[in-house]
Each structure stands twice: as structure tokens, then as C-alpha cells.
Amino acid sequence: MLELSLLRENPQIVIDRLMVKRFDAKNTVARILDADQGRRETQKMLDDNLAEANALAKEIGNLFKSGKQQEANELKARTAELKTAAKELQEKMDALQKEQDSLLITLPNLPHPDVVAGTSAEDNVIVQQEGEFPVLPEGSTPHWELCQKYDIIDFELGVKLTGAGFPVYKGKGARLQRALINFFLDNAIAAGYHEIQPPLMVNEASGYGTGQLPDKDGQMYFIGLDGFYMIPTAEVPVTNIYRDLILNAADFPVKNVAYSACFRREAGSYGKDVRGLNRLHQFDKVEIVQLQYPDKSYETLEEMRAHVAGLVRKLELPFRIVRLCGADMSFTSAMTYDFEVYSAAQQRWLEVSSVSNFESFQANRMKLRFRDGSGKTRLAHTLNGSALALPRIVAALLENNQTPEGIRVPKALVPYTGFEMIC
RNA sequence: GGAGAGAUGGCCGAGAGGUCUAAGGCGCUCGCCUGGAAAGUGAGUAUGCGCCAAAAGCGUAUCAUGGGUUCGAAUCCCAUUCUCUCCGCCA
């Protein structure tokens, strides 16, 4: 949620910057400012009314005590008037506040000035590319066939147990998963992150805090009996740890890492994009989350980007980093880097990480603040990134490292898997 | 699932219609004391919103949440949520 003060002070900047995200905010901004104006006027009247009522109540109390029943009763007439007026004012103010909030929440985050507008994912800017495309041996196949050939990931069995998009990892496939999770966690811990094991279900307030609710609830699995949502990413519980907290400036940066299973309904997805491991309803991911002092959040974004790049490099996967254009960015992000690895048999780039700076957008929603040097409270900046999401990494590892003898495990991972080949 | 108890500031905890602008303690901040520290001692120490050019200041709301009673509610009533204890079930 954007900060109201920004709209008051610079409505035109908000409108202009949101055009970069192809969002026409002109009308909404005007309505928000109208509601805000009305709300403030109403509150002034209400506060004055209540101030008078409070004073009267005190006076009446004193009169009663000194036995002046008659005078006290006379004053009561006035308090009745005030009460009626206060109720109306309160209702009016609540309605305006509600209108303002409901409008404000429809505005996306402002993109950083370095973000280009663009019209689609085609316009994302490639900022870094590394690694050679592997030359695959004769008879190479996409990962879903390799999974079947070596019996390491069973999609059919998942359908039997649950449904499409819930694969069963078996044998070296399961061990590879476990190895990757530990590899990612150990790297994050070495980089100074604090490990968290969060709940896999969250309540409504948490879903709201990170922005999945109210409008993206169709993307989450919902446990109706208890009112819980299965987390689509560990970002949700890990960031919400700090909901409604006031930190000290000295606490920054807060660096957390969490492994979790992630659950996504992915309603409306179909076709080759969802083949094999490309898109699942349940998958594993290690997520890094940072809270940072506002002035330093872009330094931190670069640090996180470098961390993720280091992981992909150690896995010997060809990758590129794109800075998303305005048209392709998420609602909540101010700047996002997507990491894509090259999946050689499918001959396509697969997105394996998304590293974003949300600036104060999430913090405002969940009232995540800190006390600056002068003792004033300010909103913190939040950032997060996948480091990394497993399925597409596994897809690329399987495809790129296939040999007639089996699938070679990258060196960095061998201490974690305990084997060098899947065969 | 059944029965009972409870929810008060950063934390502990008193408070049972007006003197709550929430006692007291702990913690924290700044002083004093000290060679330095501890102890002692003094003061300060919540958040949102509004008024004000701004600071200071003032107003208002907030004692789990939402309603209600009353001139007046942390306090009384109703509902909801959550926590704890015991019983049942259980890895």
C-alpha cells in the first residue's frame, strides 16, 4: 500500500510513475484525495464534539458529587445532542476512511525510476548473462522423460495420490531435493542469514500483510474449516513475523532465510508451460527475506542478486538476469530481477528466482516500522528473493547434465547428495 | 471435543463506574554520584489520527476485537477471537 503522505504531497508523481506499470491512476488518486479531505474535516468536527462531551461528563460528575442534581440533569440534555451528532460524524468518518483505504489498496507500488515501461515480458532488460549452453549428446530428452527413465520423479503417482502438479520424488530424486535444500540453506547461513522454519499455513491477517489478500486469494489453497491459507511462498510467514512491530534502526539489516514447501493453485495454467517440473502446485523453495533501512534497500537488492547469482554459478547452470519492465512487474514490487536458467533439452529459459525490493509498500500494509535517530517512527523497506526455487533448477540440472552414462551431479552438490551420478 | 480460568503499556502486574492523564516493579534513555563500574538517586520513556507553515503544544482514539448500557466504562452487559489449566484423543 502506498503511503498516503506521498499522494497528498506529490499526486502527479504517483500518476506518472504508475503509467510505467501501465496503470492509469488519475481517477483513483483524485477520489482518494477527496475522501482524505472529507475525512479530515469530519474528524476535526468529531474531535471537537467529543472534547465537549468529555468536558461535560466531568462537570456532571462534579455536580453530582456536590449534590447539585438539578444542574447536572440540565446538562444532560446537551450531552444527548452531542451524542447524536457524534454518532453521525463517526459513521461519516468511518465511511470515508473505508472508501479511502479500499481505493488506496488498489494502487500498485511505484516502480523505481530505473525501471523501463515496456509493454510485455519481451521488454525486460537483460542485465547479466553467464555460462555456456551445453552441447547435449545424441538422444537427449527433456527432464520429464529423464525422471521416468531413472525413476526419480513420478508425476503419475502424484496424480494418483493427489492430482496433477503434485509429483512424488523417489530415491535419488528425493535425495537430490534434500541436497539442494541444504545446499541453499547453508549458503544463505554463510552469507549471514538467520534460519527460520515457518508454519506452512497462515491466517487471513498474514495473507493480507504481504498482499496475497484480498484479491489474489484464488491463487492460494484455503482450509475452510479453520480459515487458514496454505502459503504460496515462505515470504508470507517470514515477513509477517514483523507485522505491527517497531524495530530499532540498529536492528537493520534483518536477514532471514527459510526453506518451505510452497502451494499454488495456478488456476488457469495449461499447456507446455506446465509440463513436468515447469509448474507445480506444490514445490520446494528456499527464500531469503531482508528488512532494511530505506536508504540502503537498493544496495541490499544488489547484494541479494549477487547471492543468488553465486548459487546458480556453483550449480554450473547457464543463467541470465533480467530486470523486469514496468508492464511485467508485480503489483507490490518497486524493482525486480528475475533469474532464468537455460534448460538445454527444452531449449528455453526457466525462471528460477525473483528478487524484489518492495520499498515501504508491504511495510505500510503490515505496519512494519522502525525508530530512526530522532525517535520518529518510519516504515522499513522489505525485500525478498528465491534462493532458490527447486523444480526448475532440477529440470535444468537433469537436462543439461545428461550423458549416456547417466546424469552428472554438479561438484558443489556432491557433498550434499552423496553420489556423483544419477544412473 | 468437554469443563473451567484468563487477555491491561517493551515486559511483569495493580486496578472492580468519575480522583485512569493506568499504581508499583523490571527494562530502556539522559543526568547526578564514582578514579571507573555496581549499588544508590533524579527525570524521562506507547501508538494512530487530527489541528498548526513547522516545532512546541493542543484535541481525539486505543486496556484482545466488535457491539451495547451510562452524563461518564480498563471496570457492567452481549458476541467474537485468542491464550492457559484439567479431562478426552494423539506423533
Side-chain angles (χ1 to χ4, degrees):
Chain A
M1 188 159 69
L2 291 175
E3 296 181 56
L4 184 61
S5 55
L6 183 65
L7 271 89
R8 280 187 193 157
E9 287 156 24
N10 288 305
Q12 197 54 47
I13 288 182
V14 172
I15 292 166
D16 292 347
R17 297 265 293 278
L18 284 181
M19 285 308 289
V20 172
K21 279 195 174 177
R22 301 170 69 80
F23 188 95
D24 184 359
K26 200 161 180 250
N27 196 19
T28 308
V29 168
R31 287 174 63 196
I32 291 171
L33 292 177
D34 273 356
D36 180 47
Q37 179 76 23
R39 193 207 91 239
R40 287 152 87 181
E41 284 165 9
T42 312
Q43 182 178 340
K44 180 78 183 103
M45 288 190 272
L46 177 63
D47 282 357
D48 290 347
N49 174 305
L50 292 172
E52 188 182 345
N54 285 343
L56 273 175
K58 229 169 232 169
E59 206 176 328
I60 291 171
N62 289 333
L63 288 172
F64 269 126
K65 242 182 262 172
S66 48
K68 297 175 181 163
Q69 304 268 334
Q70 186 67 30
E71 288 174 50
N73 284 325
E74 280 164 24
L75 286 180
K76 281 193 191 177
R78 174 61 181 154
T79 65
E81 275 172 45
L82 286 170
K83 213 174 171 180
T84 314
K87 196 171 178 184
E88 272 170 33
L89 287 167
Q90 183 73 57
E91 276 164 12
K92 187 176 170 193
M93 193 177 96
D94 289 347
L96 286 166
Q97 181 76 57
K98 207 173 158 188
E99 186 191 346
Q100 179 187 308
D101 288 346
S102 64
L103 288 167
L104 195 54
I105 211 155
T106 64
L107 294 180
N109 198 2
L110 302 190
H112 185 277
D114 288 352
V115 170
V116 301
T119 54
S120 75
E122 303 287 304
D123 297 313
N124 292 340
V125 182
I126 300 170
V127 294
Q128 189 177 349
Q129 181 160 346
E130 267 188 52
E132 302 291 320
F133 290 4
V135 180
L136 296 185
E138 199 68 24
S140 298
T141 57
H143 69 269
W144 49 85
E145 290 183 23
L146 295 168
C147 288
Q148 193 165 23
K149 179 176 174 187
Y150 296 106
D151 194 26
I152 48 175
I153 303 178
D154 195 330
F155 297 96
E156 300 287 313
L157 186 55
V159 171
K160 173 183 175 183
L161 300 179
T162 308
F166 292 91
V168 179
Y169 302 86
K170 298 156 80 174
K172 285 186 172 174
R175 291 168 67 188
L176 179 63
Q177 290 287 115
R178 196 150 51 83
L180 282 166
I181 292 163
N182 283 328
F183 173 73
F184 293 145
L185 283 173
D186 284 354
N187 272 276
I189 290 163
Y193 289 88
H194 179 66
E195 186 176 347
I196 303 280
Q197 274 202 30
L200 303 182
M201 299 180 199
V202 293
N203 58 27
E204 198 181 336
S206 295
Y208 184 86
T210 27
Q212 280 72 26
L213 296 174
D215 39 296
K216 291 187 205 71
D217 55 332
Q219 285 294 330
M220 289 188 289
Y221 288 98
F222 179 58
I223 314 293
L225 207 54
D226 298 286
F228 295 152
Y229 294 87
M230 303 294 294
I231 60 171
T233 158
E235 165 199 346
V236 178
V238 173
T239 311
N240 272 283
I241 291 172
Y242 303 93
R243 169 154 47 87
D244 293 324
L245 290 189
I246 300 178
L247 305 169
N248 294 311
D251 295 337
F252 293 130
V254 173
K255 301 173 77 171
N256 286 326
V257 59
Y259 152 72
S260 86
C262 301
F263 305 88
R264 298 187 182 178
R265 296 188 62 232
E266 304 289 1
S269 300
Y270 61 92
K272 70 172 166 41
D273 284 353
V274 308
R275 194 86 195 265
L277 292 167
N278 290 348
R279 178 159 300 164
L280 301 173
H281 288 306
Q282 177 183 328
F283 64 96
D284 293 303
K285 181 160 63 66
V286 172
E287 181 82 3
I288 49 178
V289 175
Q290 291 210 39
L291 311 182
Q292 184 55 285
Y293 197 83
D295 296 349
K296 294 193 178 155
S297 64
Y298 280 94
E299 274 169 50
T300 297
L301 181 68
E302 294 304 318
E303 175 205 311
M304 291 169 75
R305 170 182 152 184
H307 176 75
V308 176
L311 296 176
V312 188
R313 203 174 286 134
K314 284 185 191 173
L315 292 175
E316 304 165 36
L317 293 170
F319 69 97
R320 65 180 191 184
I321 304 174
V322 300
R323 179 188 287 146
L324 298 191
C325 68
D328 202 30
M329 274 172 87
S330 77
F331 186 82
T332 46
S333 176
M335 188 188 284
T336 296
Y337 290 116
D338 269 7
F339 280 69
E340 300 176 332
V341 298
Y342 191 72
S343 197
Q346 295 186 78
Q347 298 186 357
R348 55 188 286 221
W349 293 99
L350 298 177
E351 185 194 330
V352 293
S353 175
S354 192
V355 182
S356 302
N357 186 355
F358 304 102
E359 299 189 3
S360 64
F361 194 79
Q362 285 183 332
N364 191 30
R365 218 176 235 241
M366 67 173 88
K367 302 291 168 248
L368 195 185
R369 291 163 295 170
F370 69 97
R371 242 180 275 280
D372 69 11
S374 66
K376 273 188 79 168
T377 58
R378 293 175 59 191
L379 294 168
H381 279 196
T382 63
L383 305 97
N384 69 44
S386 347
L388 286 161
L390 294 236
R392 294 174 190 161
I393 288 285
V394 171
L397 282 178
L398 296 179
E399 292 184 12
N400 295 14
N401 296 339
Q402 57 184 308
T403 71
E405 291 77 40
I407 295 159
R408 189 181 61 79
V409 174
K411 265 203 198 73
L413 216 49
V414 172
Y416 289 89
T417 54
F419 52 82
E420 292 176 18
M421 292 290 282
I422 296 172
C423 46

